[in-house]
Amino acid sequence: MRHYSFLLLFATGPAFALVPPDYKEPTTDFTAELELGLQYNSGNTESSSFNSRGRLIYDMENARHDTTLRGYFASDNETTSAEQYQVQYQLDYKLEGTRYVFGRADMLWDRFGSYVQQHIASVGYGYNPVDRKHTKWTLEGGVGYRYNEANLSNTEDPDQNATDDEAIVRIASKLEHRLQEYTSFNADATIETGSLNTVANLNLSYRNQLWADLALKIGMDIKYTDVIPEGTEHTDVISTVNLLYTFR
């Protein structure tokens, strides 16, 4: 019996040495979202529209990576009426409590917008004044640089510059609120202002979980540009109804 006890102790000893009782797995969180909306009409009206969005979040103990890709397209049997693509990336370095510093890049291509290209790079500071189970509110402030290429297809002024760049101040607010167990509401507001122009964005979305990781999402993106080229509009609005699938 003594020999068996000795062998058992010898066999289990290395396991305790390799995996201590208080060992914990590293805290990492990986989330991906994919949403898609399609519409096609035939008969008296020939038209189609397409919009998609992908988001990838990698939330580690000391840093958080957030990447978003968006695309919008609409056309009828003769012309294309909307074509827009956007790439966003933000890296947050977490500080003590709910504070963090961030670096951010935002690139937009919009064939029919007041500006066909807008590229923004910014850095700043953020924190969460409200961080609860059902409600999370985030505030951010920072500085950056913006490059613009104006849409001059409707102007007759040959001396108007197509491109400009400027330093900007960026202020943002993000609200995530769970209304019920299967429904949630998000609101993101951003103002980016410089000496040449001011751009404000408001993104609203309502999500209803249908089954497991599949949800119905209703969204509205509103963009206001203060200074615009001749023949373009100050406000752009995109409304979407999409199916959204979450990978965890």
Side-chain angles (χ1 to χ4, degrees):
M1 181 65 69
R2 292 180 180 178
H3 295 291
Y4 290 122
S5 300
F6 175 77
L7 291 174
L8 180 62
L9 180 61
F10 179 79
T12 57
F16 285 106
L18 293 174
V19 185
D22 59 348
Y23 173 80
K24 294 182 180 179
E25 292 288 340
T27 56
T28 61
D29 189 14
F30 174 84
T31 304
E33 295 180 349
L34 178 62
E35 63 180 83
L36 182 67
L38 293 170
Q39 180 176 318
Y40 177 75
N41 300 321
S42 62
N44 293 317
T45 302
E46 295 283 346
S47 65
S48 62
S49 64
F50 166 82
N51 76 86
S52 65
R53 171 185 168 273
R55 187 180 184 188
L56 182 64
I57 300 173
Y58 187 38
D59 196 349
M60 301 181 294
E61 183 177 357
N62 297 319
R64 184 175 188 267
H65 302 262
D66 191 341
T67 304
T68 301
L69 306 175
R70 292 191 179 98
Y72 304 100
F73 179 84
S75 66
D76 56 27
N77 56 351
E78 295 181 355
T79 60
T80 299
S81 56
E83 186 176 359
Q84 183 186 111
Y85 308 99
Q86 187 174 26
V87 180
Q88 296 175 326
Y89 171 74
Q90 181 163 325
L91 171 61
D92 300 337
Y93 279 108
K94 300 177 183 179
L95 305 175
E96 185 178 355
T98 60
R99 299 174 298 134
Y100 60 93
V101 293
F102 69 86
R104 180 181 176 88
D106 192 333
M107 294 172 285
L108 175 68
W109 297 266
D110 190 350
R111 180 179 172 187
F112 299 96
S114 55
Y115 289 87
V116 294
Q117 290 190 57
Q118 284 189 321
H119 304 323
I120 302 169
S122 59
V123 295
Y125 172 85
Y127 78 105
N128 305 112
V130 178
D131 191 1
R132 300 172 183 167
K133 180 179 180 181
H134 295 293
T135 304
K136 184 176 181 179
W137 180 33
T138 303
L139 294 175
E140 293 180 350
V143 295
Y145 163 87
R146 179 171 60 205
Y147 167 83
N148 301 307
E149 182 179 341
N151 184 349
L152 302 183
S153 59
N154 296 318
T155 183
E156 298 180 357
D157 184 2
D159 298 324
Q160 186 170 350
N161 291 328
T163 63
D164 60 65
D165 56 277
E166 61 178 328
I168 61 168
V169 174
R170 179 179 182 272
I171 301 173
S173 173
K174 304 177 184 180
L175 175 65
E176 302 175 11
H177 179 63
R178 183 171 293 277
L179 302 173
Q180 297 176 353
E181 183 178 359
Y182 300 106
T183 59
S184 61
F185 172 78
N186 286 17
D188 296 349
T190 305
I191 297 176
E192 295 160 339
T193 182
S195 59
L196 301 177
N197 209 344
T198 297
V199 179
N201 288 272
L202 177 61
N203 300 323
L204 305 173
S205 65
Y206 170 83
R207 182 185 303 187
N208 184 35
Q209 211 71 24
L210 299 177
W211 180 266
D213 294 325
L214 183 65
L216 176 68
K217 181 181 175 182
I218 302 173
M220 178 177 290
D221 295 346
I222 305 171
K223 179 181 179 181
Y224 175 82
T225 305
D226 185 37
V227 180
I228 59 173
E230 179 184 349
T232 62
E233 301 290 336
H234 287 278
T235 305
D236 294 310
V237 180
I238 299 176
S239 302
T240 58
V241 179
N242 291 349
L243 287 177
L244 182 147
Y245 189 84
T246 303
F247 305 85
R248 299 182 186 274

